[in-house]
Amino acid sequence: QVQLVESGGGLVQPGGSLRLSCAASGSIFRFYDMSWYRQAPGKQRELVATITSGDSTNIADSVQGRFTISRDFANDILYLQMNRLKPEDTAVYYCYAVFGPRSYWGQGTQVTVSS
């Protein structure tokens, strides 16, 4: 069983930055592929970024060059560094972990980008 708890969301002005964290607890965290998803009101949940157990990363085109995903294997933490934020980045951001048939979602953290 893996439990995921997101933090770091909040209100920020356009052009600002936030760093989201996802703290993981449970077994074999280091073997899980990890992702950040987001869901804006009235829209589908979309994949933002993924980092594998081997530290390979993929970033969605919509946030390429602005967001960076990373993980701290020693402390079981997933990060999403968000820079030059835009109003369209406003969404609930979710941490997601998968290993074989096992997958887990965090409960999400709200990010609001507004003047």
Side-chain angles (χ1 to χ4, degrees), residues 54-114:
D55 248 359
S56 177
T57 63
N58 285 287
I59 308 295
D61 290 343
S62 59
V63 301
Q64 187 71 238
R66 299 187 297 118
F67 290 13
T68 302
I69 188 170
S70 61
R71 66 194 297 172
D72 182 342
F73 284 100
N75 295 300
D76 298 342
I77 304 173
L78 175 72
Y79 296 104
L80 184 67
Q81 179 65 48
M82 306 185 295
N83 299 322
R84 303 192 304 281
L85 284 160
K86 304 175 180 179
E88 54 260 45
D89 295 320
T90 296
V92 177
Y93 284 72
Y94 297 91
C95 181
Y96 176 70
V98 61
F99 177 60
R102 301 176 182 272
S103 62
Y104 304 90
W105 289 98
Q107 292 188 335
T109 185
Q110 177 71 48
V111 172
T112 302
V113 184
S114 176

Side-chain angles (χ1 to χ4, degrees), residues 8-30:
L11 175 64
V12 65
Q13 294 187 21
S17 297
L18 285 173
R19 188 180 73 166
L20 305 184
S21 298
C22 172
S25 63
S27 63
I28 59 173
F29 170 80
R30 68 184 185 278

Side-chain angles (χ1 to χ4, degrees), residues 37-39 44-46 48 62-63 67 89 91-93:
Y37 284 77
R38 68 184 183 185
Q39 188 165 26
Q44 298 182 64
R45 188 170 297 186
E46 65 172 337
V48 177
S62 59
V63 301
F67 290 13
D89 295 320
V92 177
Y93 284 72

